[in-house]
């Protein structure tokens, strides 16, 4: 869809789905049947998910295709904006709900989406003129599958996605378990528990812009930035596990320090993944057109949201069987192992490429 109909159209389609589903969601509290309420809720949440997938893919495709010289900074700014939205969204929604009723938070979200559609139509009108469909370029599913398979078959590219998936799982692994754990320790105030999540989100939001500067201004390798971020986030989880098993004392301090590690580590993971993918795709010979950028953005979102889903599911199961401290500690160690494997694969494949280049050069000289 991104390549055939244009990035701006895909972005608007996503906003339409999110806005419409939010608008309808605001009125389902009037449904009396619990079964009907549950079915409609799942359907609407599914439409919102499809809409978010469309908007995220379009936004990151625009970033990778239009901001080639400063992709690191632009990508970090996008992730910083996402961090801000995660921080202000729940409190604002809660306030609107407490001040008025169930419907207003959803109606407000829908209005913002529809306003954004008008803004996209004005700001990105030039993208409509440059879309591939205007050039009579027909994109077949076979071409998209061939390009995707070409990327997946490369070990270095594949492990970028694996590292990004585990790094994204660091965002959601604590979501199902941190609140019950703190409640067991005597911290039952929901507002107080919410502050812990805010610590992580603030660390992430403030950490993303410097990462963009490291990639663009100081020319740090995005693969290196990605694996360093995963290691830092993994250390945060390992810190929770080790502290929970071997140390006692002020729980709030231990958890806050660990959440700062996790937030700071997530900033490089989310900001460096797309630049690393673009760099690797170009090394594999893919042209930097709207079609390829759309595929890369979709694969990045697949890794991120797959990690977010897997992190929460694995957290609930592991905590149920092995406890909070042990499960978080083992997860942190796993993330670190994945990051170190990423480093070894990157170095090994780089040496192999260098060896093949020297061998080809020797043959040419002979």
């Amino acid at each position: 869809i991104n390549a055939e109909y244009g990035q701006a159209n895909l972005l608007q389609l996503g906003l339409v789905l999110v806005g419409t589903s939010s608008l309808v969601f605001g009125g389902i509290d009037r449904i009396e049947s619990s079964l009907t309420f549950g079915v409609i809720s799942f359907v609407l949440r599914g439409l919102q998910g499809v809409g978010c997938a469309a908007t995220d893919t379009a936004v990151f495709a625009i970033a990778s295709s239009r901001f080639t010289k400063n992709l690191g900074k632009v990508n970090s700014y996008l992730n910083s904006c996402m961090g801000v939205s995660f921080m202000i969204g729940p409190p604002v929604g809660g306030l609107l709900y407490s001040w008025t009723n169930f419907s207003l938070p959803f109606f407000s979200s829908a209005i913002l989406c529809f306003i954004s559609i008008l803004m996209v139509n004005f700001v990105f009108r030039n993208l409509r003129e440059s879309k591939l469909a205007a050039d009579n370029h027909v994109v077949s599913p076979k071409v998209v599958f061939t390009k995707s398979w070409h990327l997946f078959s490369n070990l270095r590219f594949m492990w970028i996605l694996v590292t990004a998936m585990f790094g994204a799982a660091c965002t959601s692994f604590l979501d199902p378990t941190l609140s019950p754990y703190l409640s067991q320790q005597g911290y039952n105030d929901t507002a107080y528990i919410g502050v812990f999540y805010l610590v992580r989100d603030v660390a992430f939001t403030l950490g993303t812009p410097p990462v963009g500067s490291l990639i663009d201004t100081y020319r740090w390798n995005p693969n290196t930035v990605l694996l360093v971020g995963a290691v830092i986030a993994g250390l945060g989880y390992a810190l929770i596990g080790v502290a929970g098993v071997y140390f006692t004392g002020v729980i709030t301090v231990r958890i806050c320090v660990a959440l700062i590690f996790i937030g700071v580590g997530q900033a490089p993971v989310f900001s460096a993944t797309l630049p690393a993918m673009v760099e690797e795709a170009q090394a594999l010979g893919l042209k930097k057109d709207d079609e390829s950028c759309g595929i890369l953005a979709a694969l990045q979102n697949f890794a991120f949201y797959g990690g977010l889903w897997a992190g929460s599911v694995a957290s609930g199961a592991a905590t149920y069987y092995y406890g909070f401290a042990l499960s978080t500690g083992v997860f942190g160690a796993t993330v670190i192992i994945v990051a170190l494997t990423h480093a070894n694969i990157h170095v090994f494949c780089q040496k192999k490429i260098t060896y093949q280049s020297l061998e080809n050069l020797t043959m040419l000289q002979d």
Side-chain angles (χ1 to χ4, degrees):
I1 296 175
N2 170 76
E4 183 69 19
Y5 298 103
Q7 297 162 342
N9 287 332
L10 180 62
L11 181 56
Q12 286 187 313
L13 173 62
L15 290 170
V16 168
L17 290 176
V18 175
T20 303
S21 57
S22 297
L23 185 63
V24 177
F25 215 111
I28 64 172
D29 61 323
R30 297 169 177 82
I31 299 176
E32 297 181 356
S33 173
S34 59
L35 178 61
T36 305
F37 180 88
V39 172
I40 294 178
S41 297
F42 275 105
V43 171
L44 292 175
R45 289 295 289 171
L47 288 176
Q48 285 181 334
V50 174
C52 289
T55 54
D56 285 359
T57 300
V59 165
F60 287 106
I62 292 171
S64 59
S65 62
R66 262 68 189 180
F67 300 95
T68 56
K69 295 183 179 179
N70 54 351
L71 177 59
K73 289 182 178 180
V74 172
N75 197 39
S76 67
Y77 296 154
L78 290 174
N79 283 289
S80 184
C81 290
M82 291 174 62
V84 171
S85 66
F86 289 145
M87 287 190 296
I88 66 175
V92 171
L95 287 174
L96 291 176
Y97 175 79
S98 61
W99 289 345
T100 56
N101 52 32
F102 174 85
S103 301
L104 186 58
F106 297 101
F107 290 161
S108 302
S109 175
I111 291 173
L112 291 176
C113 288
F114 294 140
I115 293 175
S116 298
I117 292 172
L118 299 176
M119 295 175 62
V120 169
N121 189 55
F122 174 76
V123 175
F124 294 130
R125 61 182 182 274
N126 61 316
L127 295 185
R128 299 178 179 279
E129 301 171 359
S130 63
K131 65 180 184 296
L132 295 179
D135 298 329
N136 297 321
H137 180 80
V138 178
V139 181
S140 66
K142 183 179 179 181
V143 173
V144 175
F145 176 79
T146 302
K147 285 190 174 184
S148 301
W149 177 252
H150 181 58
L151 295 173
F152 274 121
S153 61
N154 180 266
L155 182 60
R156 282 169 48 134
F157 186 90
M158 188 64 186
W159 210 260
I160 291 174
L161 295 179
V162 172
T163 306
M165 186 173 291
F166 273 87
C170 292
T171 303
S172 61
F173 194 85
L174 283 178
D175 289 347
T177 57
L178 180 59
S179 295
Y181 173 74
L182 292 173
S183 297
Q184 291 175 1
Q185 307 303 316
Y187 300 95
N188 297 312
D189 188 352
T190 55
Y192 188 76
I193 294 175
V195 173
F196 287 94
Y197 292 100
L198 188 63
V199 169
R200 180 193 62 188
D201 293 339
V202 169
F204 169 77
T205 303
L206 296 179
T208 48
V211 173
S213 298
L214 290 177
I215 296 174
D216 289 338
T217 304
Y218 298 98
R219 301 301 177 184
W220 281 35
N221 189 308
N223 275 287
T224 303
V225 176
L226 171 61
L227 69 91
V228 168
V231 168
I232 295 174
L235 286 174
Y237 276 96
L239 178 62
I240 294 177
V242 172
V245 174
Y246 295 106
F247 297 98
T248 59
V250 182
I251 296 175
T252 55
V253 174
R254 290 192 279 114
I255 297 295
C256 283
V257 171
L259 288 174
I260 290 173
F261 269 82
I262 294 170
V264 170
Q266 287 171 336
V269 169
F270 280 81
S271 298
T273 296
L274 186 60
M277 292 172 62
V278 170
E279 184 179 279
E280 195 63 38
Q282 289 180 327
L284 293 174
L286 261 70
K287 295 180 180 180
K288 199 169 186 179
D289 51 19
D290 286 1
E291 182 181 304
S292 298
C293 290
I295 292 173
L296 293 175
L299 291 177
Q300 175 199 241
N301 290 329
F302 172 79
F304 284 164
Y305 289 109
L308 291 173
W309 173 80
S312 58
V313 172
S315 172
T319 303
Y320 178 80
Y321 288 105
Y322 304 107
F324 178 79
L326 182 59
S327 61
T328 52
V330 171
F331 173 71
T334 304
V335 173
I336 294 173
I337 292 173
V338 169
L340 295 179
T341 305
H342 179 111
N344 290 328
I345 290 175
H346 183 75
V347 172
F348 172 77
C349 293
Q350 187 66 39
K351 288 182 177 179
K352 186 176 180 180
I353 293 173
T354 304
Y355 173 77
Q356 290 177 344
S357 300
L358 291 174
E359 188 180 41
N360 294 335
L361 180 60
T362 302
M363 292 175 62
L364 288 173
Q365 289 176 344
D366 293 341

